[in-house]
Amino acid sequence: MKLIAIDSSGLVASVAIVEDDILVGEYNVQYKKTHSQTLLPMLDALKKMVDLDLKTVDAIALSKGPGSFTGLRIGSATAKGLGLAMKVPLVEIPTLDGLACNLYGVTDKLICPIMDARRNQVYTGLYRFDKSGNLVTEMEQIPMDVNELINLLLEKDEEVQFTGDGIQVYGSLILSKMKHACLAPAHLNKQRAGSVAYA
């Protein structure tokens, strides 16, 4: 199975090529350009770098949200256009599932992706990996007040690994209120197309 994966749900534009659970290549950019300027050139550069024959692609995986409306729209239009041209199906993956997959093999703790939704709100969900390495959803993705989320997690009284762009906005608040909180480092706390393909 060969996949092209796309994530444009946040500030990061990300494309990846995955073949039989091997990440062949991934291109991530968080810069001042819009996704409409970056996604196709990134995919073209990656295709050339790994000598990808588009006729061998089986499907396109894309992040379906939550996230930036404009970013999601651009990613969806890009994936749909490619899918139609290549005659391959699209597989939509919840953004937070992809973010949780950033931490595969890194933690056995409860995973809490948070995306900044502004006004003290985050898009969030709760996940963990079982002993077989499968992602298990413990709370479906939902918009929530960050303080309400913290209180919910305090009631669980267990270690929580946070990831997502919400760390930059709410990380200090979380650490001040939760003694069992860990914040993912920069290379694991943004959306990645490779994780979308895994999810």
Side-chain angles (χ1 to χ4, degrees):
M1 173 71 79
K2 191 178 287 186
L3 293 174
I4 291 174
I6 297 171
D7 194 322
S8 59
S9 60
L11 293 174
V12 175
S14 182
V15 296
I17 297 166
V18 176
E19 183 173 5
D20 298 329
D21 292 331
I22 296 170
L23 181 62
V24 177
E26 185 176 39
Y27 195 158
N28 303 309
V29 173
Q30 181 178 337
Y31 194 61
K32 299 172 187 174
K33 295 182 179 178
T34 66
H35 296 324
S36 61
Q37 295 173 292
T38 56
L39 279 179
L40 282 174
M42 287 167 58
L43 182 57
D44 185 55
L46 189 57
K47 177 181 95 59
K48 289 174 182 170
M49 181 69 68
V50 301
D51 296 322
L52 175 68
D53 180 356
L54 292 177
K55 293 175 184 170
T56 65
V57 173
D58 297 297
I60 298 171
L62 72 145
S63 178
K64 73 172 186 175
S68 154
F69 175 76
T70 302
L72 290 167
R73 187 172 49 85
I74 292 166
S76 180
T78 301
K80 194 169 190 178
L82 286 170
L84 285 170
M86 296 163 55
K87 296 183 172 75
V88 297
L90 303 184
V91 180
E92 295 180 324
I93 305 297
T95 303
L96 296 170
D97 290 18
L99 273 169
C101 285
N102 283 357
L103 300 174
Y104 174 78
V106 174
T107 186
D108 59 357
K109 298 175 180 65
L110 186 64
I111 299 168
C112 183
I114 53 173
M115 293 176 64
D116 183 24
R118 308 217 176 157
R119 297 183 180 179
N120 257 19
Q121 298 281 314
V122 291
Y123 296 113
T124 191
L126 295 176
Y127 304 84
R128 72 173 77 242
F129 289 99
D130 66 18
K131 290 182 180 176
S132 301
N134 300 309
L135 184 67
V136 177
T137 303
E138 296 206 354
M139 183 178 82
E140 295 288 338
Q141 57 185 25
I142 184 173
M144 182 181 280
D145 180 88
V146 70
N147 289 297
E148 185 182 337
L149 173 63
I150 290 169
N151 290 334
L152 182 147
L153 293 170
L154 285 170
E155 286 175 17
K156 289 186 173 290
D157 193 30
E158 64 176 297
E159 290 188 72
V160 181
Q161 176 74 61
F162 287 87
T163 187
D165 64 17
I167 286 176
Q168 291 174 298
V169 181
Y170 303 109
S172 296
L173 174 68
I174 289 165
L175 292 176
S176 72
K177 293 191 172 191
M178 295 181 65
K179 62 181 178 181
H180 298 303
C182 302
L183 306 181
H187 68 288
L188 296 175
N189 70 19
K190 299 289 188 297
Q191 293 88 335
R192 293 184 52 202
S195 294
V196 168
Y198 177 81

